[in-house]
Amino acid sequence: MTLPDKGRSVPARYKTAVLQRRQLSPGTVQLDLVRPHGFEFTAGQKIRLYRGNVSRDYSLASAPTAPFLSICVRIVAKGVLSPVLGAAKKNDSFSFTGPHGYFVFHPSNRHPVFVATGTGIAPFASICRSGVSGVTLLHGVRDLKQRYYAELFNRSAKQYVACLGSRKNPAQGTYPGRVTDFLAEKLPPGDYDFYLCGRREMIRDATWIIDDRFSGARIYTEIFY
Ligand SMILES: Cc1cc2nc3c(=O)[nH]c(=O)nc-3n(C[C@H](O)[C@H](O)[C@H](O)COP(=O)(O)OP(=O)(O)OC[C@H]3O[C@@H](n4cnc5c(N)ncnc54)[C@H](O)[C@@H]3O)c2cc1C
C-alpha cells in the first residue's frame, strides 16, 4: 500500500551566483551569494547548496534583511564541496534549496548563551545581525585569527569569549580552555537558554555539563559534523 504524501512539500530550488569571496582566516572563507527574488529565511536557518549532484548544508551568516546571502565555510582537506567553495570566483553559479532547519532564536526570560566551535559561529552572526543582543557568546577557536565576526559580537554580545583550548597565555577576551571548560568552571549559576552549534563532540559534552550544572535550562542544538 502506498501512503499519500500528505502535507509534504518539495523545497523550492533557487539559482544563485557568487558576488564575492572573502578570506576570513587561512582555512575559512565567506561567500556572499546573490539573494534570489522571493527567498526569505529566519536568522539561524540554513540552505542546502548544490553543485551538480553534490549537496551540503550551510548556515546563513547574513541578516534576514540583507540584500545578499553570506555563508562562512571551513575548507575541509580532501572534502568534496568545501574546497570548491574555497576557490569559488565571482559569478560562479550554484543552486540551493531552503530555508531549512529550526535553529532559530526563542525569546524568553532566561539569559541566552550561544556556544559555537569554528564555523558554527555562522548562525549566531545572523541571529545577532537580526537584532538579538545582550547574549553570552562562547566561541571555540584554534587561534585568534578564527574569531570570525568579532566586531559584530563585541558590539552586540554582553559577554564574548573566544575559547582557545589549552593555550596558556590568553589575550584579553579569551579563555585558556575549551568552551566546555568555560561552561563547567566559569559560567555562574543562573537560568539560561543554551544554543549549541558545531562539532558533535562539543554538543554532546556541553549537554552533559549543562544537565549537570544548570537544571531547568533549555538546550537548542545544530550539529555540523
Ligand atoms: C545543519 C548543518 C549546517 C552546516 N553549516 C555549515 C557552515 O555554516 N559552515 C561550514 O563550514 N560547514 C557547515 N556544515 C558542514 C558542511 O555541510 C559540510 O559537511 C562541510 O563543508 C564539508 O563538506 P565537504 O564536501 O567539503 O566534505 P565531505 O567530503 O562531505 O567530508 C569530509 C569530512 O569532513 C568532515 N567535516 C565536515 N565539516 C567539517 C568542518 N567544519 N571541520 C572539519 N571537518 C568537517 C566530515 O565529517 C567528513 O568526515 C554544516 C552541516 C550541517 C549538517
Side-chain angles (χ1 to χ4, degrees):
M1 186 178 77
T2 311
L3 292 169
D5 196 11
K6 254 192 189 166
R8 279 181 87 192
S9 58
V10 179
R13 183 104 167 219
Y14 298 93
K15 285 187 178 154
T16 187
V18 174
L19 292 168
Q20 176 178 218
R21 186 189 76 214
R22 194 154 67 85
Q23 203 76 36
L24 295 183
S25 75
T28 301
V29 296
Q30 175 177 304
L31 289 186
D32 294 338
L33 303 168
V34 170
R35 181 176 184 149
H37 185 69
F39 177 73
E40 303 289 339
F41 70 100
T42 303
Q45 287 189 298
K46 68 200 174 193
I47 56 173
R48 182 156 299 146
L49 198 63
Y50 288 78
R51 190 69 188 266
N53 293 328
V54 175
S55 69
R56 299 285 185 268
D57 289 348
Y58 294 98
S59 298
L60 292 165
S62 43
T65 50
F68 51 84
L69 304 174
S70 299
I71 57 172
C72 166
V73 181
R74 168 156 175 209
I75 303 158
V76 175
K78 299 198 179 130
V80 176
L81 189 57
S82 63
V84 175
L85 300 175
K89 291 189 281 304
K90 190 172 175 212
N91 296 330
D92 280 0
S93 59
F94 296 88
S95 66
F96 72 87
T97 59
H100 298 292
Y102 305 94
F103 192 65
V104 298
F105 187 69
H106 302 268
S108 82
N109 53 12
R110 291 173 297 275
H111 180 69
V113 180
F114 294 173
V115 184
T117 50
T119 53
I121 199 69
F124 299 131
S126 182
I127 289 170
C128 288
R129 285 172 168 147
S130 77
V132 172
S133 62
V135 306
T136 293
L137 171 66
L138 310 178
H139 189 192
V141 294
R142 293 219 180 98
D143 58 53
L144 297 176
K145 287 185 189 141
Q146 293 188 345
R147 290 181 299 175
Y148 315 129
Y149 312 119
E151 229 173 79
L152 165 72
F153 298 126
N154 275 325
R155 233 179 20 246
S156 59
K158 182 175 170 203
Q159 185 183 25
Y160 166 44
V161 184
C163 297
L164 287 164
S166 57
R167 203 166 274 227
K168 290 224 170 62
N169 298 309
Q172 207 192 352
T174 67
Y175 173 71
R178 295 173 175 221
V179 290
T180 43
D181 299 325
F182 193 98
L183 292 174
E185 292 161 18
K186 286 282 172 192
L187 193 69
D191 290 331
Y192 299 110
D193 285 341
F194 291 93
Y195 294 77
L196 314 175
C197 184
R199 288 178 57 218
R200 183 183 309 276
E201 289 77 14
M202 179 279 281
I203 290 170
R204 179 200 60 203
D205 295 350
T207 303
W208 275 104
I209 294 162
I210 293 163
D211 277 350
D212 192 43
R213 286 202 66 210
F214 306 103
S215 65
R218 304 281 187 286
I219 306 178
Y220 305 98
T221 61
E222 184 84 298
I223 296 173
F224 275 14
Y225 69 101

